[in-house]
Amino acid sequence: MYRIVRKEVLAPRIKSFLIEAPEIAAKAKPGHFVVVRLDEKGERIPLTIADYDAASGTIELVVQEVGRTTYQMGMLEAGQYIQDVVGPLGTPMHIEKVDCVVFVAGGLGVAPIYPKARRHYEIGSRVVSLIGAQNKDLLIMRDRMEKVSHEVRYSTDDGSFGHHGFVTELLKEMLDSGAKISEVVAVGPLVMMRAACRVTEPFGVKTIVSLNPIMVDGTGMCGSCRVTVGGETKFSCVDGPAFDGHKVDFGELIARQNRFLAEERLAMEHFTRGIAPEREECRCHQG
Amino acid sequence: MPSRVGRSPMPKQEPRERIRNFSEVALGYSEEDAIREASRCINCPKRPCVSGCPVEVDIPSFIGLIRDGRFAEAARKIKEKNSLPAICGRVCPQETQCEAQCTLGKKGEPVAIGALERFAADFERAHSGISLPGGLDTGGPHAGRSNMVGSCPGDGSGGLKVAVVGSGPAGLTCAADLAKMGYKVTIFESLHSAGGVLRYGIPEFRLPKAILEEEIAYVRALGVELRLNVLIGQTYSLDDLFRAGYKAIFLGTGAGLPHFLGIPGENLNGVYSANEFLTRANLMKAYLFPDYVTPIKVGRRVAVVGAGNVAMDAARVALRLGAEEVTIVYRRSRAEMPARREEVENAEEEGVRFALLTNPIRVLGDEKGWVTGLECIRMELGEPDESGRRRPVPIKGSEFIMGVDTMISAIGTDPNPLLPRLTPGLATGRHGNLVADPETGATSIPGVFAGGDIVTGSATVIAAMGAGKVAARGIDRYLRAGNAEK
Ligand SMILES: Cc1cc2nc3c(=O)[nH]c(=O)nc-3n(C[C@H](O)[C@H](O)[C@H](O)COP(=O)(O)OP(=O)(O)OC[C@H]3O[C@@H](n4cnc5c(N)ncnc54)[C@H](O)[C@@H]3O)c2cc1C
Ligand SMILES: Cc1cc2nc3c(=O)[nH]c(=O)nc-3n(C[C@H](O)[C@H](O)[C@H](O)COP(=O)(O)OP(=O)(O)OC[C@H]3O[C@@H](n4cnc5c(N)ncnc54)[C@H](O)[C@@H]3O)c2cc1C
Ligand code: SF4
Ligand code: SF4
Ligand code: FES
């Protein structure tokens, strides 16, 4: 059992959890993730280690409520427990000093990006962060990102803060203006990562993406997380989750994300019925 | 004096009933069945059956005890050699092991050794609770007679610490044996529950998880500590374990890496590895969805590629999850199917179809990325290859399309590459398997031992247990040779 030490609401439906997991905290590196199972009946879901502190033995997970399990996790409070947390998983990102690294974060992508940006900042790379979200409220971890970036630019889809438009437009602007970029790291929704790769490709700028396919074990045993990279099948949980974005078959991955759409909807309905038992059709307590 | 009485059949759930539930198919012998079957054994002086058992269970003795109605003692007799009898009695390929050597099998049907082993273990569970070796149990003439190997260096509270990685049959057996010798054993398992393939691979209807639970509880009652959610290589390296005071390490990490055929269309929606399909169903209990949260989707028509135990399990799970038609697609003929005979029969009874001498060459899909069919080619058997099996060769122009919406690839697994990849100096063989001395289990790193599927590639439960046993002895010898001070 893993204790939740602190919970913070970062934005509507985005919550940060500080979790006591000393063994994982001691080994975590930027790019690592964990697999979490909330309780006996729970699904195993992968979550990035957004921050870690070996001294206090904690890891931070930032979770966006998108369905059954993340919604249930959002209801947990400090002092409560998560049944299973395993990690650190995945291949940590290879980070060495470069002249200029540009981070492109879409929505929740900021969370996985933060430890990588911090590391680059610490070793002396110039860090530029381009952070986008649907609206101002969903721009999370701003203060932390500003501390580890030499320059931060924002965009919102609705224009409520920063550039009015997509975050990839900020990236395009930079490249068009002739900025010398050593590498781009893009993390966010698949369509956003694909768009970022399309922007950088003509400029020949190396672009790393962090993929989020559907996982089960997270240890290379099931193949649920397979993606095609450079024409080869890779298992994201052990070979990734970071890959050279120009080689990723995004179309295939986007299709694979939808494998269980109908079931996910059903699971969510079943869950909301369970937490709102006054609904008439609920017969769960009638034998 | 060969027995005239025929072998007692195993009572089973009716096929039409059982494909609608996940309860155990084989129901087990009654006491009368067991005594009748045990009475068929002629107690051969040369005990050929024992030589067919990889862990040398004293078969004639335990069968004699069953015949005399001393069921609990029979269970204890088996446990002298085999710490997981309720499991082996269910999943051992007895027909190629102990029963293949049985004298009665020469003229008629061999004694149903597996069914009797299962009966004894189930009886003990139901009646007297699980007994422990070393005098911890309540009595009986055989109580306390375990397979202790001499005295060990750390007997008692100062027992030396040994780490076991992986809680499959190899790890559980190695841990149990070391604990019985007096070592302080910790098992590290990366999943959230123990048992390895017994947990995530073999379905409930063939091995009820309640039985696995009890066998694991037995191993823990021996003093073995079980640490779940620890992925060795990541959470701790082998060096970390040595630094933490473990004097030796056993690696029983299994053959968990699924193969794919390498044909076009394999990443379409609706294509599963058998590992994914079975893990969702068994470990995650997706058959109880949505009460259990992990989803699984099985279409109306399912092709399962391969013909081993894994393929039969996947096919039978698919049926139970509601598939209308399930077909095993196999490139060789019936004679070469590697699955246990009993499981092939069970699958057939349940309505699984067999497309033999048929090889998939392409998965077809629609514009949204979902499987619509499987293109196959018919095969014929040609000249024997190096393995002596006749090699299947494609028949030109015989391609055809099988309309399916789900494909499950069950063509085998490779040793789990994670740990060797993360551990410099750990020698591996051609298929990524760990190289270990068959006599001791020793690997290329001093103090690190290995056994089970990680060494042999995908094999059997009992072979993995045998390897765990060998390594326990190897570790004991290594530590008693004074290597613990290092
Ligand atoms: C390496 C990795 C790191 C991730 N890090 C984070 C993070 O830090 N914060 C965060 O909020 N989310 C993260 N995710 C995504 C997160 O795992 C999914 O949002 C979560 O599993 C959704 O589960 P659900 O039951 O709430 O929603 P569902 O309704 O089940 O699914 C919503 C969508 O999430 C995806 N999904 C569903 N099940 C899984 C699964 N088992 N594994 C992966 N994706 C799934 C699917 O695309 C699905 O359409 C990460 C994913 C990966 C692979
Ligand atoms: C579907 C299926 C059906 C089968 N049916 C039969 C049958 O009927 N009869 C039979 O005899 N055999 C059968 N087998 C084969 C048999 O199950 C295996 O040969 C046996 O389980 C191997 O045991 P093992 O202990 O070597 O490995 P496994 O059972 O694979 O256990 C390995 C364990 O190690 C864990 N692990 C891996 N890496 C790490 C790590 N780095 N850190 C921590 N833990 C780790 C894994 O999570 C797993 O729990 C079947 C196999 C499958 C897949
Ligand atoms: S353990 Fe397996 S091989 Fe040995 S006697 Fe029992 S069923 Fe036969
Ligand atoms: S070989 Fe068969 S008949 Fe002979 S002792 Fe063994 S089980 Fe009994
Ligand atoms: S999640 Fe199972 S192999 Fe990657």
Side-chain angles (χ1 to χ4, degrees), chain B residues 53-54 57 59 82 88 92 94 97-98 113-114 117 462:
Chain B
C53 171
V57 166
I59 296 166
N82 178 354
C88 291
C92 257
Q94 293 108 12
Q97 297 185 328
C98 51
I113 301 170
E117 179 167 334
I462 196 70

Side-chain angles (χ1 to χ4, degrees), chain A residues 214-226 235-238, chain B residues 258:
Chain A
I214 297 176
M215 297 187 173
V216 184
D217 58 306
T219 65
M221 182 267 271
C222 73
S224 172
C225 65
R226 62 195 189 276
F235 286 6
S236 302
C237 66
V238 288

Side-chain angles (χ1 to χ4, degrees), chain A residues 2 23-24 27 32 37 40-44 68-69 72 83-91 214-224 226-228 233 235 238-239 252 255-256 258-264 266-267 270, chain B residues 188-193 200 227-231 233-237 240 256-258 260 266-273 275-276 279-280 283-285 289-298 368-370 416-418 421:
Chain A
Y2 299 77
E23 296 170 323
I24 302 173
K27 281 299 171 79
H32 271 143
R37 193 181 70 134
E40 202 45 50
K41 296 183 176 179
E43 182 177 12
R44 293 172 66 98
R68 167 69 166 84
T69 301
Q72 183 185 350
Q83 180 146 340
D84 302 292
V85 182
V86 60
L89 303 176
T91 306
I214 297 176
M215 297 187 173
V216 184
D217 58 306
T219 65
M221 182 267 271
C222 73
S224 172
R226 62 195 189 276
V227 291
T228 303
T233 295
F235 286 6
V238 288
D239 301 321
E252 177 188 276
R256 284 185 67 75
N258 295 331
R259 283 198 290 155
F260 298 107
L261 270 189
E263 289 75 14
E264 284 156 5
L266 200 73
H270 181 81
Chain B
F188 296 95
E189 166 59 50
S190 59
L191 290 173
H192 59 256
S193 72
Y200 74 74
R227 295 272 333 267
L228 302 170
N229 297 322
V230 179
L231 180 65
Q234 295 268 53
T235 321
Y236 292 119
S237 65
D240 291 335
L257 178 74
F260 287 92
E266 252 180 327
N267 293 345
L268 286 165
N269 289 355
V271 181
Y272 295 91
S273 74
N275 267 12
E276 180 186 352
T279 300
R280 285 181 181 276
L283 175 71
M284 305 311 298
K285 297 204 170 74
F289 179 88
D291 190 28
Y292 280 70
V293 186
T294 305
I296 196 164
K297 190 191 207 87
V298 63
K368 285 193 167 160
W370 288 89
N416 200 317
L418 196 65
R421 208 196 274 180

Side-chain angles (χ1 to χ4, degrees), chain B residues 142-158:
Chain B
H142 296 271
R145 260 190 57 191
S146 69
N147 49 341
M148 293 234 196
V149 184
S151 69
C152 81
D155 259 336
S157 57

